[in-house]
Protein backbone atom coordinates (compact mmCIF):
# COMPACT_ATOMS: atom_id res chain seq x y z
CA UNK A 1 0.00 0.00 0.00
CA UNK A 2 2.02 3.42 -0.55
CA UNK A 3 5.78 3.67 -0.14
CA UNK A 4 8.46 3.86 2.56
CA UNK A 5 10.87 6.50 1.21
CA UNK A 6 11.91 7.53 4.70
CA UNK A 7 9.56 5.26 6.65
CA UNK A 8 9.03 8.05 9.12
CA UNK A 9 6.41 10.69 9.86
CA UNK A 10 5.49 13.00 12.67
CA UNK A 11 3.35 10.47 14.49
CA UNK A 12 4.57 7.05 13.47
CA UNK A 13 7.83 5.24 14.00
CA UNK A 14 9.66 2.89 11.65
CA UNK A 15 7.60 0.11 13.18
CA UNK A 16 4.20 1.56 12.33
CA UNK A 17 2.56 0.73 9.08
CA UNK A 18 1.70 4.38 8.75
CA UNK A 19 5.38 5.22 8.69
CA UNK A 20 6.12 2.44 6.23
CA UNK A 21 3.27 3.12 3.89
CA UNK A 22 2.87 6.86 3.85
CA UNK A 23 6.33 8.30 3.50
CA UNK A 24 6.52 7.99 -0.27
CA UNK A 25 4.39 9.37 -3.07
CA UNK A 26 4.44 11.19 -6.34
CA UNK A 27 5.13 14.83 -7.05
CA UNK A 28 2.37 17.14 -8.30
CA UNK A 29 -0.55 19.41 -7.31
CA UNK A 30 -4.12 20.34 -8.39
CA UNK A 31 -7.53 18.92 -9.39
CA UNK A 32 -9.15 16.49 -11.81
CA UNK A 33 -10.97 18.16 -14.67
CA UNK A 34 -14.10 16.07 -14.62
CA UNK A 35 -16.94 16.30 -12.14
CA UNK A 36 -17.95 13.41 -9.91
CA UNK A 37 -21.19 11.53 -9.36
CA UNK A 38 -24.45 12.98 -10.61
CA UNK A 39 -26.46 9.85 -11.37
CA UNK A 40 -29.97 8.90 -10.32
CA UNK A 41 -29.09 6.33 -7.67
CA UNK A 42 -29.55 6.95 -3.97
CA UNK A 43 -27.20 5.76 -1.23
CA UNK A 44 -26.22 2.18 -0.61
CA UNK A 45 -28.33 2.44 2.53
CA UNK A 46 -31.45 3.17 0.52
CA UNK A 47 -32.00 6.45 2.35
CA UNK A 48 -32.41 8.54 -0.80
CA UNK A 49 -34.15 7.86 -4.06
CA UNK A 50 -33.04 10.47 -6.58
CA UNK A 51 -30.12 12.65 -7.55
CA UNK A 52 -32.17 15.72 -6.65
CA UNK A 53 -33.23 14.39 -3.27
CA UNK A 54 -31.28 13.68 -0.08
CA UNK A 55 -28.15 11.53 -0.34
CA UNK A 56 -26.63 9.46 2.46
CA UNK A 57 -23.92 6.83 2.76
CA UNK A 58 -22.91 5.00 5.93
CA UNK A 59 -19.14 4.52 5.98
CA UNK A 60 -16.90 2.09 7.85
CA UNK A 61 -16.52 4.41 10.83
CA UNK A 62 -20.22 3.90 11.36
CA UNK A 63 -20.78 7.54 10.39
CA UNK A 64 -23.38 8.59 7.85
CA UNK A 65 -22.37 11.20 5.29
CA UNK A 66 -25.36 13.32 4.27
CA UNK A 67 -26.08 15.84 1.52
CA UNK A 68 -29.17 17.49 0.15
CA UNK A 69 -28.38 15.94 -3.25
CA UNK A 70 -25.97 13.41 -4.74
CA UNK A 71 -22.48 14.92 -4.40
CA UNK A 72 -20.91 16.05 -7.65
CA UNK A 73 -17.70 17.67 -6.40
CA UNK A 74 -16.00 14.67 -4.85
CA UNK A 75 -12.40 14.87 -3.64
CA UNK A 76 -10.61 11.59 -2.98
CA UNK A 77 -7.33 9.92 -2.15
CA UNK A 78 -5.68 9.03 -5.47
CA UNK A 79 -6.14 5.28 -5.16
CA UNK A 80 -9.73 5.83 -4.08
CA UNK A 81 -10.42 8.10 -7.05
CA UNK A 82 -8.92 5.46 -9.33
CA UNK A 83 -11.20 2.77 -7.90
CA UNK A 84 -14.28 4.97 -8.22
CA UNK A 85 -13.24 5.77 -11.80
CA UNK A 86 -13.14 2.05 -12.59
CA UNK A 87 -16.76 1.79 -11.46
CA UNK A 88 -17.78 4.88 -13.44
CA UNK A 89 -17.75 7.63 -10.81
CA UNK A 90 -15.36 10.52 -11.48
CA UNK A 91 -13.84 12.97 -9.01
CA UNK A 92 -13.12 16.68 -8.93
CA UNK A 93 -9.75 16.54 -7.15
CA UNK A 94 -7.30 14.10 -5.64
CA UNK A 95 -4.66 13.93 -2.94
CA UNK A 96 -1.97 11.28 -2.62
CA UNK A 97 0.59 9.61 -4.94
CA UNK A 98 -0.40 10.55 -8.49
CA UNK A 99 2.59 11.33 -10.73
CA UNK A 100 6.14 10.00 -10.43
CA UNK A 101 9.24 12.16 -10.85
CA UNK A 102 9.49 11.15 -14.51
CA UNK A 103 5.92 12.25 -15.16
CA UNK A 104 4.52 8.74 -15.39
CA UNK A 105 1.46 7.77 -13.35
CA UNK A 106 2.02 6.35 -9.90
CA UNK A 107 0.66 2.78 -9.75
CA UNK A 108 -2.05 3.99 -7.38
CA UNK A 109 -3.39 6.35 -10.04
CA UNK A 110 -4.64 3.36 -11.99
CA UNK A 111 -6.39 4.40 -15.19
CA UNK A 112 -6.81 8.04 -14.22
CA UNK A 113 -5.60 10.44 -16.90
CA UNK A 114 -2.76 12.01 -14.93
CA UNK A 115 -2.05 14.46 -17.75
CA UNK A 116 -5.30 16.16 -16.76
CA UNK A 117 -4.70 15.83 -13.04
CA UNK A 118 -3.47 18.19 -10.42
CA UNK A 119 -3.45 17.19 -6.78
CA UNK A 120 -4.04 18.95 -3.51
CA UNK A 121 -0.84 17.36 -2.21
CA UNK A 122 0.75 13.99 -2.85
CA UNK A 123 3.49 13.88 -0.26
CA UNK A 124 2.70 12.61 3.20
CA UNK A 125 1.47 15.47 5.37
CA UNK A 126 0.65 17.73 2.41
CA UNK A 127 -2.91 18.82 1.71
CA UNK A 128 -3.61 22.26 0.24
CA UNK A 129 -6.55 23.32 2.37
CA UNK A 130 -7.00 26.62 0.52
CA UNK A 131 -7.32 24.91 -2.87
CA UNK A 132 -9.64 22.35 -1.33
CA UNK A 133 -11.91 25.05 0.07
CA UNK A 134 -11.89 26.91 -3.26
CA UNK A 135 -13.34 23.83 -4.97
CA UNK A 136 -16.50 24.04 -2.80
CA UNK A 137 -16.20 20.28 -2.20
CA UNK A 138 -19.31 18.23 -1.55
CA UNK A 139 -17.67 14.98 -0.38
CA UNK A 140 -14.24 13.70 0.68
CA UNK A 141 -13.42 9.98 0.36
CA UNK A 142 -10.40 7.96 1.39
CA UNK A 143 -9.25 4.61 2.76
CA UNK A 144 -8.79 3.74 6.42
CA UNK A 145 -5.72 1.62 7.14
CA UNK A 146 -5.22 2.18 10.87
CA UNK A 147 -8.46 2.25 12.80
CA UNK A 148 -10.64 5.16 11.75
CA UNK A 149 -7.79 7.43 10.61
CA UNK A 150 -8.50 8.91 7.19
CA UNK A 151 -5.61 8.01 4.90
CA UNK A 152 -3.49 10.97 3.75
CA UNK A 153 -5.65 13.52 5.56
CA UNK A 154 -3.08 15.33 7.75
CA UNK A 155 -3.81 15.23 11.47
CA UNK A 156 -2.82 18.87 11.98
CA UNK A 157 -5.39 20.15 9.46
CA UNK A 158 -7.93 17.34 9.67
CA UNK A 159 -10.50 19.31 11.66
CA UNK A 160 -10.42 22.20 9.20
CA UNK A 161 -10.54 19.91 6.16
CA UNK A 162 -13.50 17.94 7.47
CA UNK A 163 -15.36 21.17 8.14
CA UNK A 164 -15.86 21.88 4.43
CA UNK A 165 -17.74 18.74 3.36
CA UNK A 166 -19.02 15.36 4.55
CA UNK A 167 -16.47 12.54 4.48
CA UNK A 168 -16.49 8.81 3.84
CA UNK A 169 -13.85 6.38 5.11
CA UNK A 170 -13.61 2.84 3.71
CA UNK A 171 -11.76 0.29 5.84
CA UNK A 172 -9.16 -1.74 3.92
CA UNK A 173 -7.50 -3.64 6.78
CA UNK A 174 -8.37 -7.03 8.33
CA UNK A 175 -11.12 -7.63 5.77
CA UNK A 176 -11.09 -9.49 2.48
CA UNK A 177 -10.35 -7.86 -0.86
CA UNK A 178 -13.79 -8.67 -2.23
CA UNK A 179 -15.40 -6.95 0.75
CA UNK A 180 -13.47 -3.72 0.10
CA UNK A 181 -14.22 -3.85 -3.62
CA UNK A 182 -17.88 -4.34 -2.77
CA UNK A 183 -17.89 -1.30 -0.54
CA UNK A 184 -16.39 0.87 -3.27
CA UNK A 185 -18.94 -0.48 -5.72
CA UNK A 186 -21.71 0.53 -3.31
CA UNK A 187 -20.27 4.01 -2.93
CA UNK A 188 -19.82 4.44 -6.68
CA UNK A 189 -23.43 3.34 -7.27
CA UNK A 190 -24.67 5.82 -4.70
CA UNK A 191 -22.82 8.53 -6.64
CA UNK A 192 -24.58 7.56 -9.86
CA UNK A 193 -22.29 4.93 -11.39
CA UNK A 194 -23.87 2.18 -13.46
CA UNK A 195 -22.54 -1.11 -12.08
CA UNK A 196 -24.19 -2.89 -15.00
CA UNK A 197 -22.00 -1.09 -17.52
CA UNK A 198 -20.05 -3.44 -19.76
CA UNK A 199 -16.63 -2.26 -18.61
CA UNK A 200 -17.62 -2.96 -15.00
CA UNK A 201 -19.12 -6.38 -15.65
CA UNK A 202 -16.21 -7.34 -17.91
CA UNK A 203 -13.74 -6.37 -15.19
CA UNK A 204 -15.66 -8.39 -12.63
CA UNK A 205 -15.68 -11.42 -14.92
CA UNK A 206 -11.92 -11.07 -15.46
CA UNK A 207 -11.35 -10.82 -11.70
CA UNK A 208 -13.46 -13.91 -11.03
CA UNK A 209 -11.69 -15.87 -13.76
CA UNK A 210 -8.30 -14.85 -12.39
CA UNK A 211 -9.37 -15.86 -8.89
CA UNK A 212 -10.36 -19.32 -10.08
CA UNK A 213 -7.04 -19.65 -11.91
CA UNK A 214 -5.22 -18.72 -8.71
CA UNK A 215 -7.27 -21.21 -6.70
CA UNK A 216 -6.34 -23.99 -9.10
CA UNK A 217 -2.68 -22.94 -9.14
CA UNK A 218 -2.54 -23.00 -5.35
CA UNK A 219 -4.10 -26.46 -5.29
CA UNK A 220 -1.72 -27.78 -7.94
CA UNK A 221 1.31 -26.36 -6.10
CA UNK A 222 0.17 -27.20 -2.61
CA UNK A 223 2.79 -26.63 0.08
CA UNK A 224 4.40 -23.70 -1.72
CA UNK A 225 5.36 -21.19 0.98
CA UNK A 226 4.86 -17.54 0.04
CA UNK A 227 6.31 -14.55 1.90
CA UNK A 228 4.99 -11.01 1.42
CA UNK A 229 7.55 -8.37 2.30
CA UNK A 230 8.84 -4.85 1.83
CA UNK A 231 12.51 -3.91 1.80
CA UNK A 232 14.29 -0.87 3.19
CA UNK A 233 17.97 -0.06 3.63
CA UNK A 234 18.07 -1.43 7.17
CA UNK A 235 15.12 -3.76 7.50
CA UNK A 236 13.05 -6.42 5.79
CA UNK A 237 9.38 -6.08 6.72
CA UNK A 238 7.53 -9.41 6.71
CA UNK A 239 3.83 -8.70 6.37
CA UNK A 240 1.04 -10.33 8.34
CA UNK A 241 -1.36 -11.70 5.69
CA UNK A 242 -4.34 -11.40 8.03
CA UNK A 243 -4.08 -7.59 7.96
CA UNK A 244 -3.91 -6.92 4.22
CA UNK A 245 -7.13 -7.25 2.24
CA UNK A 246 -5.45 -8.77 -0.83
CA UNK A 247 -3.38 -11.27 1.14
CA UNK A 248 -6.45 -12.26 3.15
CA UNK A 249 -8.27 -12.98 -0.09
CA UNK A 250 -5.34 -14.90 -1.57
CA UNK A 251 -5.24 -17.00 1.60
CA UNK A 252 -8.90 -17.87 1.10
CA UNK A 253 -7.98 -19.12 -2.38
CA UNK A 254 -5.38 -21.49 -0.94
CA UNK A 255 -2.11 -19.52 -0.89
CA UNK A 256 0.06 -20.58 2.06
CA UNK A 257 1.63 -17.40 3.40
CA UNK A 258 4.39 -17.04 5.95
CA UNK A 259 2.81 -15.67 9.14
CA UNK A 260 5.38 -13.64 11.10
CA UNK A 261 5.57 -14.48 14.77
CA UNK A 262 6.54 -11.10 16.22
CA UNK A 263 4.36 -8.51 14.55
CA UNK A 264 5.06 -5.00 15.81
CA UNK A 265 2.65 -2.15 15.21
CA UNK A 266 -0.03 -4.51 13.98
CA UNK A 267 1.10 -5.02 10.39
CA UNK A 268 4.49 -6.70 9.98
CA UNK A 269 7.58 -8.06 11.67
CA UNK A 270 10.72 -6.00 11.17
CA UNK A 271 13.82 -8.11 10.55
CA UNK A 272 17.37 -6.86 10.41
CA UNK A 273 19.07 -7.98 7.23
CA UNK A 274 21.21 -10.36 9.28
CA UNK A 275 17.97 -12.20 10.11
CA UNK A 276 16.35 -11.95 6.68
CA UNK A 277 16.30 -15.74 6.35
CA UNK A 278 14.25 -16.27 9.51
CA UNK A 279 11.22 -17.47 7.54
CA UNK A 280 11.90 -19.98 4.73
CA UNK A 281 9.91 -19.20 1.60
CA UNK A 282 9.63 -20.56 -1.93
CA UNK A 283 8.15 -17.41 -3.45
CA UNK A 284 8.57 -13.81 -2.31
CA UNK A 285 6.00 -11.12 -3.04
CA UNK A 286 8.06 -7.94 -2.86
CA UNK A 287 6.42 -4.56 -2.34
CA UNK A 288 6.89 -2.70 -5.63
CA UNK A 289 5.81 0.76 -4.55
CA UNK A 290 8.09 3.60 -5.56
CA UNK A 291 9.75 4.08 -2.19
CA UNK A 292 10.32 0.42 -1.33
CA UNK A 293 13.62 -1.13 -2.36
CA UNK A 294 13.42 -3.39 -5.41
CA UNK A 295 15.45 -6.54 -6.26
CA UNK A 296 18.15 -4.52 -8.04
CA UNK A 297 18.48 -2.33 -4.94
CA UNK A 298 18.75 -5.35 -2.67
CA UNK A 299 21.16 -7.37 -4.79
CA UNK A 300 24.22 -6.19 -2.84
CA UNK A 301 22.84 -7.50 0.45
CA UNK A 302 24.34 -10.99 0.96
CA UNK A 303 21.49 -12.27 3.10
CA UNK A 304 18.96 -11.22 0.47
CA UNK A 305 20.98 -12.76 -2.35
CA UNK A 306 21.27 -15.97 -0.34
CA UNK A 307 17.54 -16.50 0.17
CA UNK A 308 16.39 -19.68 -1.66
CA UNK A 309 13.56 -17.85 -3.43
CA UNK A 310 15.94 -15.11 -4.58
CA UNK A 311 18.51 -17.59 -5.86
CA UNK A 312 15.74 -19.37 -7.76
CA UNK A 313 14.50 -16.08 -9.25
CA UNK A 314 11.12 -16.59 -7.61
CA UNK A 315 10.27 -13.00 -6.76
CA UNK A 316 7.00 -11.43 -7.83
CA UNK A 317 6.03 -7.73 -7.57
CA UNK A 318 3.42 -6.96 -4.94
CA UNK A 319 1.38 -3.76 -5.07
CA UNK A 320 0.68 -3.70 -1.36
CA UNK A 321 -1.72 -0.77 -1.69
CA UNK A 322 -3.92 -1.70 -4.65
CA UNK A 323 -6.83 0.23 -6.03
CA UNK A 324 -9.92 -1.52 -4.80
CA UNK A 325 -11.88 -2.31 -7.94
CA UNK A 326 -12.26 -5.38 -10.14
CA UNK A 327 -10.34 -3.63 -12.91
CA UNK A 328 -7.56 -2.68 -10.52
CA UNK A 329 -7.19 -6.07 -8.85
CA UNK A 330 -7.75 -8.53 -11.71
CA UNK A 331 -4.22 -8.04 -13.14
CA UNK A 332 -2.72 -8.51 -9.66
CA UNK A 333 -4.53 -11.83 -9.20
CA UNK A 334 -3.46 -12.94 -12.67
CA UNK A 335 0.17 -12.10 -11.95
CA UNK A 336 0.16 -14.02 -8.68
CA UNK A 337 -1.49 -17.03 -10.34
CA UNK A 338 1.25 -17.09 -12.98
CA UNK A 339 3.97 -16.78 -10.33
CA UNK A 340 2.49 -19.65 -8.31
CA UNK A 341 2.15 -21.82 -11.40
CA UNK A 342 5.83 -21.34 -12.27
CA UNK A 343 7.31 -21.51 -8.78
CA UNK A 344 9.16 -24.57 -7.45
CA UNK A 345 9.60 -25.58 -3.83
CA UNK A 346 13.10 -24.44 -2.91
CA UNK A 347 12.97 -23.60 0.80
Amino acid sequence: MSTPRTLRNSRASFLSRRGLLAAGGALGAGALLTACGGGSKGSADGDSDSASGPWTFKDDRGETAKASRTPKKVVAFTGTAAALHDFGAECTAVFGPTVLKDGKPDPQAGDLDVAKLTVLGNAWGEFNVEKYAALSPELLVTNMIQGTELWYVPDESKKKILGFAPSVGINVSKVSLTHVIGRYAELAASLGADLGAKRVTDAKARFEKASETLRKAAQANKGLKVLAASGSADLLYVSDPAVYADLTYFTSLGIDFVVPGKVTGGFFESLSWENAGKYPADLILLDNRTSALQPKDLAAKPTWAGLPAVKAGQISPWLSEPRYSYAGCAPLVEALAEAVQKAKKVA
Side-chain angles (χ1 to χ4, degrees), residues 185-226:
E186 290 173 15
L187 177 58
S190 82
L191 294 171
D194 178 9
L195 300 187
K198 187 176 186 301
R199 75 170 189 172
V200 178
T201 57
D202 284 353
K204 184 177 181 180
R206 180 182 174 185
F207 175 84
E208 291 173 344
K209 181 180 178 181
S211 297
E212 185 57 29
T213 300
L214 179 57
R215 186 193 303 277
K216 291 178 179 177
Q219 182 62 34
N221 210 347
K222 202 159 188 175
L224 188 79
K225 205 70 176 178
V226 182

Side-chain angles (χ1 to χ4, degrees), residues 231-235 273 293 295-307 310:
S232 74
D234 300 316
L235 298 169
W273 281 109
L293 296 185
K296 61 180 176 60
D297 306 314
L298 299 171
K301 295 184 179 297
T303 50
W304 167 261
L307 295 176
V310 175

Side-chain angles (χ1 to χ4, degrees), residues 1 17 172-181 207 214 228 239-253 255 257 285 287-288 317-324 329 332-333 336:
M1 300 183 151
R17 184 182 186 189
V172 301
S173 294
K174 299 182 180 179
V175 291
S176 182
L177 183 63
T178 49
H179 173 81
V180 183
I181 293 174
F207 175 84
L214 179 57
S239 297
D240 181 355
V243 177
Y244 296 75
D246 56 344
L247 303 186
T248 297
Y249 182 59
F250 300 154
T251 299
S252 75
L253 296 177
I255 299 299
F257 281 104
L285 301 187
D287 189 347
N288 71 341
W318 173 41
L319 183 60
S320 62
E321 194 173 351
R323 72 185 198 266
Y324 296 99
C329 292
L332 308 182
V333 182
L336 179 57

Side-chain angles (χ1 to χ4, degrees), residues 48-67:
S48 63
D49 55 11
S50 73
S52 59
W55 174 90
T56 66
F57 187 90
K58 188 174 182 179
D59 76 357
D60 292 340
R61 296 171 296 182
E63 298 181 9
T64 300
K66 300 178 181 180

Side-chain angles (χ1 to χ4, degrees), residues 35-124:
C36 181
S40 60
K41 298 285 185 180
S43 85
D45 298 9
D47 293 340
S48 63
D49 55 11
S50 73
S52 59
W55 174 90
T56 66
F57 187 90
K58 188 174 182 179
D59 76 357
D60 292 340
R61 296 171 296 182
E63 298 181 9
T64 300
K66 300 178 181 180
S68 59
R69 61 171 188 169
T70 302
K72 294 180 180 295
K73 295 181 180 179
V74 178
V75 176
F77 171 67
T78 304
T80 294
L84 291 173
H85 168 82
D86 290 339
F87 284 114
E90 305 299 340
C91 294
T92 299
V94 297
F95 55 95
T98 308
V99 182
L100 304 177
K101 288 182 179 180
D102 61 4
K104 294 180 180 179
D106 186 276
Q108 292 189 72
D111 292 334
L112 294 173
D113 186 351
V114 299
K116 297 180 179 178
L117 281 176
T118 54
V119 298
L120 301 177
N122 64 4
W124 181 257

